[in-house]
Amino acid sequence: MTEWMVGVKPAAMNCSCLLHGYAEGRYILPPLPYPNSAIEPLLTAETLYLHHDKHHAAYVAGANAALDSLRLINEGELSPQHAPAVCQSLAFNLGGHILHTLYWENICPPDRRREPSGGLALAVMRDFGSYAAFEQLFLAVSLAVQGSGWGVLGVDPMSRRLMVTGICRHQDVLVPGFCPLLVCDVWEHAYYLTWSNDRKGYLHSFMQHINWDIVEQRYEKACRYE
Ligand code: MN3
């Protein structure tokens, strides 16, 4: 790492929960911040258990395996011809690790307030016109993600405006520097056990389970990012 890179933080690092996903040179699976049954009716305890303990854990393992392969390539133990596949694997698995870590933190039991407040509420008004318009856009984009992916509200690093986008898989069709504030997993494994093929029902329920306190904290940090 060159000296000028020290202290440079990617925008996504503004989310403090990500600090719990890496320690001592390895990616690690952070525990869920609530019991498995806490997010019903959005997600059953079985869905949450499988999603976190199996799917998310697999992305952590995959990211570490990619790191191991990169070390072998750097040390001359593995041919550089493997590098493109290893780098793609790292991007996919690390993308999954980051997005799931954000996801667990930005959902909560359905007893919280249903809309943002403060600076984020003002930004929603500025950039979408109203909360209802934002919700309509977020639902439409998340519903339309083809196959496996994510619906995301984030900050465009250039204009600093809020932006809704869909991410394919965990890392495709991603704006460089985009800072995610609110992420919704629309892979079938996220909802199929609970909602069957009703992604629309899952998404409408998701909107009632957003931890706006966390999303607002991420927005405030994103605004302070220089
Ligand atoms: Mn998932």
Side-chain angles (χ1 to χ4, degrees), residues 51-66:
H51 197 176
H52 176 268
D53 287 32
K54 302 299 180 184
H55 290 277
H56 186 172
Y59 302 131
V60 173
N64 283 323

Side-chain angles (χ1 to χ4, degrees), residues 51 55-56 59 96 100 103-104 149-150 170 185-187 189-190:
H51 197 176
H55 290 277
H56 186 172
Y59 302 131
H100 284 90
Y103 175 72
W104 305 131
W150 296 74
H170 295 144
D185 192 339
V186 295
W187 284 57
H189 69 227

